[in-house]
Amino acid sequence: MKFEHTGSDRASQPVAFSRRQALAASTCGLGMLALADLCRADTARDYVSPLAPKPPHHEPRADSLIFFHMRGGPSHMETFERKPDLDKQAGEAGRNKNRKIVPTHWQWKQRGQSGLWVSDLLKHTAELADDLCVLSGMHTDIGNHTPAMLQLHTGSFTFTRPSLGAWLLYGLGTENQNLPGFVSISPPLINGGSKNYGAAFLPAVYQGTAIGDIKTPVKQAAIGNIENPLMRRPDQRRQLDFIQQLNRDYAQRDPADTAVDGVIESYELAFRMQSELPSVMDISGETQETLELYGIGDGLPSDNFGRQCLLARRLVEAGVRHIEVCDEFWDQHGNLKKGHEARAAATDKPIAGLLVDLKRRGLLGRTLCLWGGEFGRTPDTQKKDLDGRDHNPNGYTMWLAGGGTRGGFQHGATDELGYKAVEGRVHLHDLHATILHLMGLEHTALTYRYAGRDFRLTDVHGRIVNEIIA
Amino acid sequence: MALLPCCAFADDDKQSARKARGLELFETKIRPVLIVHCYECHSAESDELAGSFALDTRDGLLRGGEIGPAVVPRDPDASLLLSALEYESLEMPPDQKLPAAVIKDFRRWIALGAPDPRRSKSAEQPSSDEESEAGASEPLWSLAPLDSVDPPQVDSDWPSTDIDRFILARQQSAGVEPVADAQPTELLRRVYFDLVGLPPDPQTVRAFLQDPSREHYVEIVDRLLSSPQYGERWARHWLDIVRYGESAGSSRDVLMPYAWRYRDYVIDAITEDIPYHRFVTEQIAGDRLPAGSQQERDRLQVATGLLAIGSKSLNGGNLELDIIDDQIDVIGKAVLGLTVACARCHDHKFDPIPTADYYALAGIFKSTETFYGGGVKRPENDAEKLDVYLTLGGPIDPEKVQQQKKLARQVERLEKESRKTQKTAARLLKQLGDNYQQREKELRAAKKGETALDKKDEAFLRKVDEYREAASQWRKLKAEAEELRAAPKPAYEYAVGVRDAKKPTDAPIQVRGERNNRGDVVPRGFLSCVTTVPTGDDLEIPDDASGRLQLARWLTDPRQPLTPRVAVNRVWQHLFGRGIVESPDNFGVNGGVPTHPQLLDYLAARFVTEHGWSRKALIRELVLSRVYTLSTDFDPENHAVDPENQLRWRMDRRRLEAEPLRDAILAAGGSLELARPAGSAVLAVGEGEVGRGINEKPLTEPKYYRSVYLPIVRGMVPEPLKIFDFPEPSNPQAVRDTSNVPAQSLYLMNSPQVLDQARRLGSEIASMDAPDAARVEEAFLRCLSRLPTEAESSAALQFVEQSGEASADKRKKRDDGLSAWAMLAHSLMASAQFRYID
């Protein structure tokens, strides 16, 4: 029985008519069972997991994607876009007379060979300026956290749509079948929650797997059902052998059906996952030097995010397609200095550490990294103390690194004060198109038919930002 | 991409060469500049159309904006566009003048006649280019009138019903033969899961093995169809396609504590077999139907919950328009099998649904008030709930509502004061210290003994008095508030649903579906592509009504071809695994075509005329057909001709959906509670929002009732459902996925809930006073509803023996672990057969 998804052109390609079926059909029933038995020996070649690696549309520049999700909207004017006019006009009227221009709080320097301006707020990331491809002409459609976050992850803020990671799995599958292909570390429960790593109308296999949540330190996070509370591994293996024997007998009764083969395979995967996932999550074998590189250590503000980043590296090494690491809230309408400092203290060193680690392991070239929030912040405030900024979807900064992007490069800019992207404008749809492009997928060709039409991550939008590709 | 304009008359060569050059120039130099520098403010995509000037169509460019035409073909100097680019009249684009070379291109293009292949998206149809080829030309099969069809004559004694004659006729002409009938245990298990979503119990299996006659089978079918479990099973199918959920989903996942009433309505309506046309009418316009009793009035009101339970983007977006869109979408897909909502922003790309039709329907829902709760503004008390919910139990006295609101304010005030005094008391107590009573006693005694106290001690005693005063005041206020709160008040029963707005009105076309972009007003009405339902008085929408009742009548008119075809197809789908049309919610151009068109029409016509829209009668007819009772046996010859089994030469092997799978695990463990739980776990949580401090315990604690009653919070779908391809509850979903992923295996191998059921079944079996072979039989009966084969039995016994040794070995070290019989039970629950139906 074929429960193929109507018109899911890429996902369903290999299953339609297997070699075994063809063989079986050509024998006119003679010795059917024996033949089926024979053919079943290489079941694995017949049953194709929907998560198995699939050929990309074109030669990819990156194999995996790490997204540093700075929830809440970090200020572009405090990080990667130097706006001297803000200090000159501090306290003057902003967009209207109720709003005042907010000065910047940190020193700025040109960094590395490229001379990119990066503020002292992110002093560790700043050291890697020559690897960053800074997009300062970002813009999106809405300025409320939750819809903006949904748009960041799914391209749409009104409808329930598949997330970027789900599209990547659908388009590319994943290298390591013993691990989930798309992992979201410490995702928020609010702001769209699981929709941000959901599959929506794509088959559920493509949804992300959450490790912990934003409220749980990653040290204590676990993946559900990864361990049997009652059985030792050898007993479980013996039980699995018995179950698989039943399953094989059952599968043999219908040589045309690969679904039960899929069950058999997914048990073996699950059994291996029980060992592999905890061992990937166990960082006790990492050197002290590595832990320090990521800012991991008891009592350090960067301990938790450092662990998230280290876990991300381990997952990339293990062949996981897409990992998102999620930070707390950069949403400082007031207390910007303290708030942004706290967020930087938590994330700056770990992110820089991960980039350094990827580089020295030779992984950065094939790993696309993305940093940013759902939008940026305004140059002005309505508060008196000039220490806060509001939401700004009209212009903000994200950066990419590795994975075929131009390092030490800044693309686009907002106006003199930072209200609006005026140069090198990159809409979120364009960013999505570009990420898919770098991962080997053509955003206009990665479609899935649902409810009578072909859907895309970029809907009817999206432009590949060729300027930023190395 | 080369879009050539249509040119109906013959140009002379020179002219057409100019035009071709101009077009090429347009595509290479002009269009890209317009898109990059101008569309943001001057196109249908703009938030606000600057200067009322759109240049994303040829017409827009020629027509110009507020200050006149932008382009005069062949006269660059008279073209406002050019002088604006040159910063001579207007200064466009405003941020920076374009390079001189670009402006020169524009001059040349205008001089060449400004040829422009772009057409208005709605105004005109291109006459001959490729865009017009989609749709329109060939009439859509699903819209053809529904006529009764006579079953074909076949020369065979295989058919037992007319359905079989349709099936066999197709098979015979294709050269395939039906396989053997299913084994009695297979058929029994199949019909149980299909009709009630539960496995047959061991006694029933044994009895059917004793007497597998057709009479016995019919008797079982009738018993199952009249059980409440039938309604629970089939309600869930409907809930899939009406995107049932108990929270807003999307951006802010605000709970809907009263959505469950709609769920229970559906279950009851299906159990009672309310005819399908009535069932649809109740859900769209229940509030407009006459009711003989208050109870019936309430039931009909709850039915309109269909229109309120959708997912909502509460934070940003066009909430009102989005709700209307959700309502049109769900009715379109669920009832008509058409993706009507595609026409929100443009004429449907494939199906004959113009945007105007969408807004004709939109007017009906714009004239409807939807009550789904407070959204992000949580109602705190009855007074606030009365504003955002519908109430059951009859009309509400407005005076009482006023009293209620007054009372709520009073309670609030008292509580505020009470909190204040509590704080004061706490502060005083802290100052007094823990042992103040001892010191007070001493001081009071000293005072009585007329020893003069010093100032400090006096102050201490005053503070004690102050504290006592505050504490008693606090207790008093608290008691008062509690008393008021507990005061007898009308017990409102809240519901989500709709009613007509006070002032019904037609809706304007919203260009691109955006709220700030209004076009022409369209009178309320229905889809123009359905031509078989003649207009009549009872379809005329009165000025003072929304038109939902007329919409429901139009949808369920016996001449409406889509509604019965779609309904019948869904029933077939749930009994055979796939519909006769494989895209059950898309009967449009892009949907599937029927594998057995005549059978579909035969069933649909019979459904309306013979069965009076009774789903039970239809289901009964289908499960009593011979084709339903076929085995899943493989046949290489048939397979060579028809590998997809489109001709139904055998039954498809099907995977259980998440709900019957979970129910079956609980049933095997003896833990399944068949009684309907009161309300929903979401009601126990109350008003709140996922991730923002709600009490999650009622949602996450283990439950033993049937899966259809599990809380469906959109952002927190229960694990056993989610893992096994439960549909995304924000979107109508007609066909479930059947993925095979390690997460499912891990769940069955390791989940405490599954292990718990295995342990229960294991200990039941272990305590049987019977030989081991009989115990294995019982395990198979409980888990797979059949007896084991000899080979299976001996393999199972061997496994149990080894497990016994292993667990005896382990008991020396640890006392936990599963017993050998529990290991067997667990293995069967985890086996592939457990989750597949043959």
Side-chain angles (χ1 to χ4, degrees), chain B residues 754-801:
Chain B
V754 176
L755 292 169
D756 184 37
Q757 296 311 311
R759 184 154 49 187
R760 283 162 194 257
L761 178 55
S763 57
E764 254 191 80
I765 293 170
S767 65
M768 275 170 69
D769 183 17
D772 281 356
R775 289 178 164 146
V776 171
E777 270 188 16
E778 180 70 11
F780 269 73
L781 281 169
R782 287 279 285 269
C783 293
L784 305 176
S785 309
R786 66 174 174 87
L787 295 169
T789 64
E790 245 170 71
E792 283 170 337
S793 186
S794 66
L797 283 169
Q798 196 191 344
F799 173 67
V800 168
E801 197 179 322

Side-chain angles (χ1 to χ4, degrees), chain A residues 98-332:
Chain A
N98 298 325
R99 305 184 63 88
K100 302 271 182 291
I101 300 289
V102 178
T104 59
H105 290 288
W106 287 277
Q107 294 299 309
W108 289 79
K109 284 191 204 73
Q110 284 186 291
R111 319 275 176 167
Q113 304 246 303
S114 57
L116 285 190
W117 286 97
V118 185
S119 90
D120 277 348
L121 175 63
L122 302 175
K123 52 183 185 294
H124 297 285
T125 308
E127 287 171 27
L128 290 146
D130 289 346
D131 295 298
L132 303 185
C133 178
V134 179
L135 308 177
S136 291
M138 288 298 305
H139 61 114
T140 182
D141 295 333
I142 190 156
N144 295 345
H145 293 293
T146 299
M149 241 177 262
L150 284 168
Q151 183 165 26
L152 172 62
H153 285 89
T154 72
S156 167
F157 64 86
T158 39
F159 303 108
T160 300
R161 296 285 181 253
S163 57
L164 168 65
W167 281 110
L168 286 173
L169 281 195
Y170 165 64
L172 296 170
T174 181
E175 296 299 328
N176 188 338
Q177 299 296 314
N178 299 345
L179 290 175
F182 168 20
V183 172
S184 185
I185 304 172
S186 308
L189 300 164
I190 54 168
N191 297 131
S194 56
K195 300 265 184 299
N196 287 310
Y197 52 93
F201 48 70
L202 288 180
V205 299
Y206 300 119
Q207 75 200 0
T209 299
I211 297 185
D213 59 55
I214 198 86
K215 291 191 290 194
T216 318
V218 72
K219 226 197 291 200
Q220 295 155 20
I223 288 191
N225 303 321
I226 197 70
E227 200 176 358
N228 191 301
L230 300 175
M231 253 180 258
R232 293 175 312 170
R233 207 48 72 74
D235 292 334
Q236 195 182 37
R237 183 67 248 181
R238 197 172 43 75
Q239 183 194 32
L240 196 54
D241 290 341
F242 175 61
I243 296 173
Q244 296 288 52
Q245 184 190 333
L246 292 173
N247 291 347
R248 275 191 299 274
D249 289 346
Y250 185 56
Q252 267 172 15
R253 285 173 43 194
D254 189 351
D257 184 16
T258 58
V260 179
D261 296 342
V263 173
I264 293 170
E265 187 184 300
S266 83
Y267 267 117
E268 295 304 328
L269 290 179
F271 190 77
R272 291 198 294 272
M273 206 181 265
Q274 287 185 137
S275 325
E276 187 147 348
L277 192 55
S279 80
V280 170
M281 288 179 67
D282 176 12
I283 60 167
S284 61
E286 298 283 347
T287 64
Q288 188 55 36
E289 190 269 343
T290 302
L291 299 182
E292 276 166 21
L293 179 67
Y294 283 83
I296 298 171
D298 275 346
L300 292 180
S302 51
D303 181 66
N304 188 46
F305 201 78
R307 285 169 188 275
Q308 287 178 241
C309 287
L310 181 53
L311 184 51
R313 188 214 79 208
R314 295 175 65 90
L315 291 166
V316 162
E317 278 181 314
V320 172
R321 185 70 67 194
H322 177 33
I323 301 117
E324 173 165 339
V325 287
C326 196
D327 187 31
E328 287 166 40
F329 237 33
W330 289 72
D331 187 34
Q332 279 84 41

Side-chain angles (χ1 to χ4, degrees), chain A residues 363-375:
Chain A
L363 290 170
L364 187 60
R366 303 294 295 174
T367 306
L368 181 60
C369 298
L370 170 67
W371 177 96
E374 67 272 30
F375 40 57

Side-chain angles (χ1 to χ4, degrees), chain B residues 144-177:
Chain B
L146 190 57
D147 293 321
S148 59
V149 185
D150 289 329
Q153 297 292 318
V154 283
D155 182 23
S156 165
D157 56 3
W158 182 80
S160 49
T161 65
D162 283 340
I163 295 166
D164 302 317
R165 279 177 254 283
F166 283 101
I167 294 289
L168 188 66
R170 288 285 318 276
Q171 291 180 349
Q172 285 180 338
S173 64
V176 302
E177 271 181 42

Side-chain angles (χ1 to χ4, degrees), chain B residues 492-703:
Chain B
Y492 297 116
E493 290 195 29
Y494 298 108
V496 298
V498 304
R499 69 179 178 210
D500 276 7
K502 295 218 169 58
K503 281 193 191 135
T505 165
D506 296 330
I509 289 178
Q510 307 284 345
V511 180
R512 277 184 52 80
E514 298 291 340
R515 86 187 135 188
N516 297 328
N517 220 339
R518 292 164 69 108
D520 295 340
V521 171
V522 186
R524 279 164 285 158
F526 322 117
L527 296 186
S528 55
C529 61
V530 175
T531 52
T532 50
V533 184
T535 49
D537 286 349
D538 64 338
L539 294 182
E540 201 66 44
I541 298 175
D543 289 342
D544 62 349
S546 64
R548 280 180 291 116
L549 185 58
Q550 289 70 26
L551 171 63
R553 283 186 192 136
W554 178 81
L555 287 168
T556 58
D557 187 288
R559 288 157 296 190
Q560 165 66 259
L562 285 165
T563 305
R565 280 192 179 114
V566 169
V568 161
N569 187 58
R570 290 191 200 281
V571 171
W572 182 280
Q573 173 202 356
H574 296 310
L575 293 172
F576 290 89
R578 287 173 291 168
I580 296 175
V581 178
E582 282 201 50
S583 56
D585 57 358
N586 189 359
F587 277 43
V589 171
N590 268 8
V593 289
T595 55
H596 295 77
Q598 293 216 308
L599 174 58
L600 181 68
D601 281 8
Y602 165 83
L603 291 171
R606 245 174 100 74
F607 180 55
V608 176
T609 52
E610 297 287 315
H611 298 320
W613 303 82
S614 158
R615 271 166 303 184
K616 268 190 194 179
L618 174 65
I619 292 169
R620 187 174 188 277
E621 190 170 26
L622 291 181
V623 297
L624 294 183
S625 70
R626 183 92 187 249
V627 62
Y628 178 78
T629 62
L630 287 176
S631 70
T632 56
D633 291 351
F634 180 72
D635 180 279
E637 287 170 44
N638 287 343
H639 186 264
V641 178
D642 176 24
E644 297 288 324
N645 190 26
Q646 295 219 338
L647 300 172
R648 315 285 342 163
W649 48 268
R650 64 166 170 168
M651 180 53 97
D652 286 335
R653 188 181 266 179
R654 288 172 283 158
R655 201 189 76 189
L656 285 177
E657 303 100 316
E659 295 89 341
L661 177 62
R662 173 183 169 276
D663 290 354
I665 291 172
L666 289 173
S671 304
L672 183 67
E673 292 162 5
L674 285 180
R676 172 185 290 183
S680 161
V682 179
L683 183 63
V685 179
E687 301 284 346
E689 183 177 344
V690 174
R692 293 178 197 254
I694 52 166
N695 168 21
E696 290 182 4
K697 194 162 164 279
L699 301 175
T700 53
E701 65 192 359
K703 297 174 184 65

Side-chain angles (χ1 to χ4, degrees), chain B residues 230-245:
Chain B
Y230 156 78
E232 290 164 340
R233 170 63 161 152
W234 284 75
R236 191 53 246 184
H237 295 320
W238 182 253
L239 295 177
D240 275 16
I241 54 180
V242 297
R243 48 53 180 140
Y244 174 74

Side-chain angles (χ1 to χ4, degrees), chain B residues 21-340:
Chain B
R21 276 212 314 282
L23 273 174
E24 195 192 332
L25 188 63
F26 177 80
E27 292 298 351
T28 53
K29 304 281 186 186
I30 306 300
R31 192 201 286 259
V33 174
L34 293 177
I35 291 174
V36 173
H37 295 284
C38 314
Y39 276 21
E40 190 190 349
C41 307
H42 296 291
S43 76
E45 318 239 335
S46 321
D47 297 334
E48 238 170 292
L49 193 56
S52 306
F53 172 43
L55 45 60
D56 57 342
T57 63
R58 183 187 56 177
D59 286 352
L61 204 51
L62 294 176
R63 195 170 50 236
E66 286 157 0
I67 52 171
V71 169
V72 182
R74 280 192 276 282
D75 192 350
D77 291 325
S79 296
L80 191 55
L81 178 70
L82 201 71
S83 62
L85 292 177
E86 285 169 337
Y87 272 40
E88 281 169 2
S89 53
L90 301 164
E91 296 187 352
M92 289 291 158
D95 37 2
Q96 204 180 0
K97 193 174 165 181
L98 294 173
V102 174
I103 298 174
K104 217 170 130 193
D105 289 335
F106 271 86
R107 178 173 283 280
R108 256 180 68 216
W109 173 66
I110 295 172
L112 287 167
D116 180 349
R118 299 169 306 157
R119 292 288 179 279
S120 156
K121 279 159 194 155
S122 52
E124 55 183 306
Q125 283 292 324
S127 54
S128 67
D129 64 28
E130 63 246 276
E131 279 177 45
S132 65
E133 280 171 26
S137 52
E138 212 174 301
L140 195 53
W141 68 269
S142 55
L143 293 170
L146 190 57
D147 293 321
S148 59
V149 185
D150 289 329
Q153 297 292 318
V154 283
D155 182 23
S156 165
D157 56 3
W158 182 80
S160 49
T161 65
D162 283 340
I163 295 166
D164 302 317
R165 279 177 254 283
F166 283 101
I167 294 289
L168 188 66
R170 288 285 318 276
Q171 291 180 349
Q172 285 180 338
S173 64
V176 302
E177 271 181 42
V179 297
D181 292 337
Q183 296 294 320
T185 47
E186 284 172 350
L187 180 61
L188 186 71
R189 185 165 178 266
R190 179 189 301 168
V191 79
Y192 256 76
F193 274 119
D194 280 350
L195 298 193
V196 296
L198 293 168
D201 56 276
Q203 296 87 313
T204 309
V205 178
R206 286 185 193 277
F208 196 62
L209 277 171
Q210 286 282 313
D211 171 19
S213 66
R214 182 162 176 89
E215 294 69 39
H216 193 181
Y217 176 66
V218 174
E219 190 191 307
I220 288 169
V221 166
D222 286 332
R223 196 177 67 229
L224 294 178
L225 283 175
S226 58
S227 72
Q229 284 75 45
Y230 156 78
E232 290 164 340
R233 170 63 161 152
W234 284 75
R236 191 53 246 184
H237 295 320
W238 182 253
L239 295 177
D240 275 16
I241 54 180
V242 297
R243 48 53 180 140
Y244 174 74
E246 299 177 61
S247 66
S250 192
S251 49
R252 303 276 305 264
D253 205 6
V254 174
L255 302 183
M256 289 194 282
Y258 304 100
W260 62 271
R261 284 191 205 279
Y262 171 73
R263 174 201 68 199
D264 285 0
Y265 156 82
V266 172
I267 294 172
D268 292 340
I270 290 182
T271 306
E272 288 157 26
D273 198 27
I274 288 179
Y276 183 73
H277 65 322
R278 168 82 187 178
F279 178 62
V280 167
T281 306
E282 288 179 356
Q283 293 173 68
I284 293 172
D287 57 317
R288 308 293 298 167
L289 293 173
S293 65
Q294 185 57 43
Q295 200 187 357
E296 175 69 354
R297 163 115 335 282
D298 289 348
R299 196 186 70 82
L300 291 170
Q301 181 66 70
V302 169
T304 66
L306 168 81
L307 300 170
I309 55 166
S311 166
K312 293 166 197 74
S313 182
L314 296 173
N315 189 357
N318 307 309
L319 186 55
E320 191 202 352
L321 293 176
D322 288 346
I323 288 176
I324 291 172
D325 188 63
D326 169 67
Q327 292 165 333
I328 294 174
D329 186 49
V330 73
I331 292 172
K333 284 180 185 153
V335 182
L336 292 173
L338 288 180
T339 52
V340 182

